[in-house]
Amino acid sequence: MKFFGFVVVCLVGGLLLYGTADFPDWGDPDSPASTHLSDIYIEHAFEQTQVPNIVTAILADYRGFDTMFETAVIFCAGLACFLLLRDFKERKERFYRHVPTGVILHVKNSKKALRVGRDFEHIDKDWIPSDLIIKTVCRILIPFIQIYALYVVAHGDFSPGGGFQGGVIFGSSLILLAISYDLKILVRRIKEKVLGICAAAGVLVYVGIAAICMPMGKSFLDYSALEMFVFDPHHVRALGMLGVEIGVGIAVAAVMAIIYINIVSEGRHDEGL
Amino acid sequence: MNNYPALIVIAPLLAALFAGLAVWIEDRLSYYIAILGLAVSSFSALKVLIQVIESGTIQYKMAGWDAPVGIEYRIDLLNAMVLLLISGIALFNLIASYKNVEQEISDRKGSFYTIYLLFVTGLLGVTATGDLFNLYVLIEITSLTSYAMVALSDKDRGPLASLNYIFIGVIGASFYLLGVGYLYMKTGSLNMMDVADIIASQHDSSTVLVGFILCMIGVWIKMALFPMHVWLPNAYSYSPVAFSRVVAPLMTKVMVYVMIRLMITVFGFEYIFNTLHLSEAVVWLATIAVLAGGVLALAQDNLKKILAYIIVCEIGYMVGGAWLGNQSGMTGAILHLLNDALMTFALFLGLGNMVYMLGKVKLNNLQGLFSRMPWTMTGFVVAAFSIVGVPPTCGFFSKWYLISGAFEAGAYHFAAALIISSLICAILFFKVFEICFFQSSPDLQGQGHGHKFQVMAEAPVSMLIVSNLVSFSLIVVGVFSGTIVKTIILPFLQGI
């Protein structure tokens, strides 16, 4: 079987190499990829869309339809994680730590939960004494990471960036919170329901903005139909793109958190990493 | 502005997102949202089909940009037909599946319907699009959703089947993407018509050749052409019934559609058959697929697996027909795409009713089924006749076109394989019917003097209505197959 695999790999590799024989030269300015459509994008993108960043113009306008489905893919990944991993059964074993003495209680098969407060705190099975330095540094960092994420989303029109990147950065700040403290803090701060609604609503912002264009008499995703909703009709396409980028950002951030929480806690949302 | 082409795909997408919201607010709503979305989609598909028959190909510019710059939907007779098929089957399956979902996945119905809608959105998008990369993105959606679904039902074997499916599916999709990349190097465009125009003058380029081979291998892996079929039987038999009923008829058929679309619209017959002379090799491959699918189906003892291997066999029919390189073969392949989707759907509807009532569908669970579930079996028998190819069911007519195409092309081995596999299917189904009809079930109700009778235990009415309606449609489509060929398939083939 290994030998057979080796033969297949060699054949496919040979095929790929054979195909490169007829490639245009490396970096050739006259190659079809850099002349056929790229000229049109480079020459007209700014005047047609009022967005200085051509990549954003292609991503969110010329080929915005693809990007919409990419966002749907992200949503789908989050939903699949929830669907397959989420386990609503209560965990029977619980661990508590008596704060003043540091004694750890292991409660088995008990329906009644201990009151958590000044005396006792919840801990995970693989609990590590919390580190003051890590907690403090992360607590300081997280707000800045989140502001940076918002900046990346909002600035997508002008510089590399946009909804996906901003959303990932925002999501990672939530994951950092879960890692530096523990998962329960994150789950208590942002309810599962909120994350679920944000994931769907983020994509819905994108599809909704695109779909509103249809009753306005233009084709799907044609931002120019939105003129009456914005105060600056000249930049209507740029504003439309900003709108969909915000939607993407919300969806991606929520899905990042959903995937992380479900995977580390094996769907129980109680403890993990 | 005629927005129906976009609405076909957007309605289920919007419904999926609202159903995704409903998961957190009121779980029961998601079912009705799904029905609404698919009803709008089917209605739009019907409208579009009528428009296309009346006034020719529709082009729909996404975001208002002209074709090679932006993405366009390009709906001609072929994909108008497939779009109606997909949205119709998805809608009917949803109506039939309400009880199945309640039984199998009652605790997460909302997410199930959401994923179901996303899957259908993906299939519709793949069919409607006129853009090579957009097609890939939609393939990604259909694949991702089906991986999740396969892992959902059977807690023991589902995840493993899903993992195999993921590995092979991702390889298939990557091959396709790599092929598109190679084509992009030579053309700089992703629009199908535009790419076709550019490569018409580059028939001797090795890059285009490799792009073509990679795209085809990718699509073949995705449609489970033998010997790239290994993921299919497990994936389809371990997924929830409500999902396997829509994935089995549609996923492979949509990939056949993609193959035909690439062959006809992007590369062109001239390139494939006259420049490359690939016809013979691929028809041989298809012949082997037909025979292997049939033989492997004989070896199974679980009805789900039997039906899954029959799909492998049917894929061989369509690939062979499309690659015969003549009009009858292509007509047969396209007609069989329509017929096979309906036949498989009818079979799986019957299967779903059995699973709902019996739980397991190993062959020895099926004893006495004719007296226990007469209505389900009526639909199932009609569908089985159609798979075997008994006139006047629709399976007969597409096989007729395929066989006459094979004779025209001199591919007698393919014609022989078609006939042999029909015989194998006949043996298979009569084996099943024998168990269902002659062997009485072990849990007979005794009464009086040794007379025992069977209590009827039929599936719910909603499921029976749908399954018999679909089986009836097999006969209707069979009777009107001449009309379908004349109004849809021949004008399409002549228009290229």
Side-chain angles (χ1 to χ4, degrees):
Chain A
M1 205 59 204
K2 260 186 187 167
F3 177 73
F4 182 68
F6 181 72
V7 171
V8 170
V9 167
C10 287
L11 279 177
V12 174
L15 186 71
L16 293 177
L17 281 178
Y18 173 67
T20 57
D22 199 29
F23 267 15
D25 287 337
W26 177 253
D28 180 7
D30 295 325
S31 69
S34 35
T35 53
H36 184 61
L37 287 179
S38 305
D39 286 354
I40 301 175
Y41 291 133
I42 293 169
E43 283 165 18
H44 301 291
F46 183 66
E47 114 202 24
Q48 284 174 338
T49 65
Q50 300 302 320
V51 172
N53 184 359
I54 300 175
V55 175
T56 305
I58 294 174
L59 192 82
D61 195 347
Y62 292 110
R63 300 193 67 87
F65 195 60
D66 278 344
T67 313
M68 184 182 82
F69 282 111
E70 290 292 356
T71 321
V73 168
I74 307 267
F75 169 65
C76 184
L79 194 65
C81 264
F82 170 80
L83 188 66
L84 295 178
L85 293 173
R86 186 74 175 98
D87 184 354
F88 291 103
K89 281 197 289 280
E90 278 279 315
R91 188 182 284 241
K92 283 196 183 133
E93 286 182 322
R94 291 193 204 85
F95 293 87
Y96 298 95
R97 177 167 171 272
H98 188 227
V99 183
T101 57
V103 174
I104 289 174
L105 292 180
H106 180 189
V107 184
K108 275 186 187 167
N109 293 329
S110 158
K111 289 262 162 55
K112 226 173 73 181
L114 229 64
R115 224 165 62 102
V116 177
R118 192 183 294 175
D119 294 340
F120 288 98
E121 63 174 6
H122 278 295
I123 60 166
D124 297 352
K125 204 169 6 182
D126 39 6
W127 182 76
I128 309 162
S130 58
D131 190 327
L132 188 66
I133 296 174
I134 292 178
K135 275 188 176 175
T136 315
V137 170
C138 291
R139 200 165 61 209
I140 296 170
L141 271 180
I142 286 169
F144 289 104
I145 294 177
Q146 291 179 340
I147 287 175
Y148 181 65
L150 297 182
Y151 168 80
V152 170
V153 172
H155 217 251
D157 302 3
F158 302 101
S159 56
F164 287 98
Q165 294 85 341
V168 168
I169 296 173
F170 198 94
S172 67
S173 78
L174 300 180
I175 294 175
L176 185 64
L177 181 69
I179 292 176
S180 58
Y181 286 74
D182 61 3
L183 195 64
K184 288 193 195 79
I185 299 257
L186 175 62
V187 177
R188 218 178 304 139
R189 287 279 160 89
I190 306 176
K191 293 272 180 313
E192 191 187 9
K193 186 173 175 177
V194 175
L195 287 176
I197 288 179
C198 278
V203 191
L204 199 57
V205 168
Y206 200 143
V207 186
I209 288 179
I212 287 173
C213 303
M214 289 198 287
M216 307 301 289
K218 291 285 177 70
S219 57
F220 186 76
L221 204 65
D222 192 341
Y223 302 116
S224 59
L226 303 172
E227 268 174 2
M228 58 174 292
F229 295 114
V230 295
F231 43 83
D232 182 7
H234 183 58
H235 287 107
V236 62
R237 286 189 168 269
L239 289 169
M241 278 181 238
L242 181 64
V244 301
E245 295 278 12
I246 291 171
V248 173
I250 297 172
V252 172
V255 167
M256 288 280 288
I258 291 175
I259 292 178
Y260 175 80
I261 294 172
N262 276 309
I263 287 180
V264 295
S265 68
E266 291 167 4
R268 291 208 190 82
H269 290 210
D270 51 1
E271 63 176 52
L273 216 63
Chain B
M1 186 85 207
N2 173 10
N3 278 317
Y4 286 115
L7 216 52
I8 298 174
V9 182
I10 298 309
L13 178 63
L14 273 174
L17 297 170
F18 280 113
L21 286 179
V23 171
W24 303 101
I25 297 160
E26 179 59 68
D27 211 26
R28 275 174 307 162
L29 280 178
S30 51
Y31 178 71
Y32 301 101
I33 295 172
I35 290 269
L36 183 70
L38 287 177
V40 171
S41 173
S42 309
F43 175 73
S44 314
L46 188 64
K47 272 282 209 197
V48 167
L49 180 63
I50 293 169
Q51 279 173 11
V52 173
I53 290 176
E54 278 171 358
S55 54
T57 307
I58 301 178
Q59 277 165 296
Y60 186 85
K61 298 176 209 159
M62 287 298 161
W65 299 112
D66 286 329
V69 176
I71 295 169
E72 68 163 352
Y73 270 11
R74 200 187 153 78
I75 300 185
D76 53 21
L77 284 162
L78 176 63
N79 51 3
M81 182 186 84
V82 180
L83 284 171
L84 182 60
L85 185 74
I86 297 170
S87 52
I89 286 185
L91 178 63
F92 277 108
N93 178 41
L94 201 61
I95 295 170
S97 296
Y98 181 73
K99 291 264 167 70
N100 287 102
V101 175
E102 290 285 328
Q103 188 190 36
E104 288 186 8
I105 8 180
S106 55
D107 57 337
R108 44 200 80 181
K109 282 174 295 198
S111 344
F112 175 85
Y113 290 126
T114 311
I115 296 248
Y116 180 92
L117 284 166
L118 282 171
F119 174 75
V120 177
T121 308
L123 291 178
L124 290 167
V126 166
T127 315
T129 192
D131 189 279
L132 289 170
F133 186 74
N134 190 237
L135 197 146
Y136 169 76
V137 176
L138 273 302
I139 286 182
E140 215 180 336
I141 290 192
T142 47
S143 313
L144 201 59
T145 44
S146 41
Y147 303 147
M149 287 291 203
V150 171
L152 186 61
S153 167
D154 193 319
K155 278 275 175 287
D156 303 326
R157 286 165 295 181
L160 187 64
S162 174
L163 196 65
N164 282 333
Y165 186 16
I166 288 179
F167 288 150
I168 300 178
V170 168
I171 291 172
S174 312
F175 267 108
Y176 174 77
L177 186 61
L178 207 55
V180 173
Y182 270 64
L183 289 179
Y184 187 78
M185 286 300 273
K186 288 308 279 184
T187 60
S189 176
L190 292 169
N191 183 274
M192 287 184 192
M193 299 303 280
D194 199 29
V195 169
D197 286 344
I198 297 171
I199 60 176
S201 59
Q202 300 185 346
H203 278 180
D204 49 351
S205 159
S206 67
T207 309
V208 172
L209 173 65
V210 173
F212 172 70
I213 294 174
L214 290 175
C215 283
M216 280 299 145
I217 293 180
V219 174
W220 284 341
I221 293 176
K222 278 284 182 191
M223 74 169 76
L225 181 68
F226 185 87
M228 293 165 265
H229 71 285
V230 280
W231 55 271
L232 184 138
N234 283 343
Y236 285 7
S237 44
Y238 297 141
S239 52
V241 175
F243 182 70
S244 64
R245 279 201 296 221
V246 72
V247 75
L250 293 181
M251 184 79 178
T252 49
K253 254 53 81 183
V254 166
M255 287 302 148
V256 172
Y257 160 79
V258 172
M259 183 188 74
I260 292 176
R261 170 66 59 197
L262 289 178
M263 286 170 70
I264 289 180
T265 308
V266 180
F267 294 96
F269 289 157
E270 176 65 26
Y271 179 62
I272 298 171
F273 296 122
N274 294 347
T275 314
L276 300 181
H277 300 291
L278 279 173
S279 168
E280 223 164 293
V282 179
V283 172
W284 266 110
L285 196 66
T287 309
I288 297 169
V290 168
L291 293 176
V295 172
L296 288 169
L298 271 179
Q300 306 301 319
D301 67 340
N302 188 322
L303 194 57
K304 280 184 178 177
K305 285 265 174 74
I306 292 178
L307 297 187
Y309 277 106
I310 287 178
I311 295 174
V312 174
C313 172
E314 302 278 331
I315 289 297
Y317 289 14
M318 284 172 272
V319 173
W323 283 79
L324 283 171
N326 56 37
Q327 187 168 310
S328 321
M330 194 48 108
T331 309
I334 296 173
L335 188 61
H336 200 70
L337 194 156
L338 168 72
N339 292 346
D340 190 46
L342 288 173
M343 299 186 303
T344 319
F345 184 45
L347 280 180
F348 272 78
L349 279 169
L351 180 79
N353 294 1
M354 294 175 205
V355 171
Y356 184 74
M357 297 309 295
L358 304 174
K360 277 189 234 149
V361 286
K362 287 208 160 198
L363 284 182
N364 50 16
N365 297 121
L366 303 180
Q367 291 162 341
L369 214 56
F370 270 99
S371 43
R372 238 189 307 178
M373 306 173 70
W375 289 106
T376 300
M377 288 312 288
T378 318
F380 194 78
V381 168
V382 173
F385 277 170
S386 185
I387 291 268
V388 175
V390 181
T393 53
C394 58
F396 170 75
F397 296 96
S398 43
K399 272 188 192 171
W400 182 261
Y401 278 106
L402 287 172
I403 291 178
S404 55
F407 278 116
E408 257 175 64
Y412 300 108
H413 51 91
F414 185 60
L418 281 177
I419 293 168
I420 294 172
S421 83
S422 299
L423 287 177
I424 293 178
C425 286
I427 295 170
L428 258 175
F429 280 115
F430 282 104
K431 193 168 89 180
V432 175
F433 294 154
E434 192 211 336
I435 294 170
C436 298
F437 196 80
F438 290 109
Q439 299 185 11
S440 48
S441 68
D443 52 336
L444 281 178
Q445 310 272 325
Q447 200 192 44
H449 320 284
H451 282 293
K452 292 188 171 178
F453 67 93
Q454 182 66 56
V455 175
M456 220 171 99
E458 253 306 356
V461 182
S462 61
M463 294 159 78
L464 287 180
I465 291 176
V466 174
S467 81
N468 281 300
L469 205 65
V470 173
S471 297
F472 183 64
S473 81
L474 294 178
I475 299 173
V476 175
V477 170
V479 171
F480 287 100
S481 54
T483 323
I484 294 172
V485 170
K486 258 190 229 118
T487 50
I488 296 179
I489 300 174
L490 287 183
F492 168 72
L493 289 176
Q494 277 148 11
I496 45 176

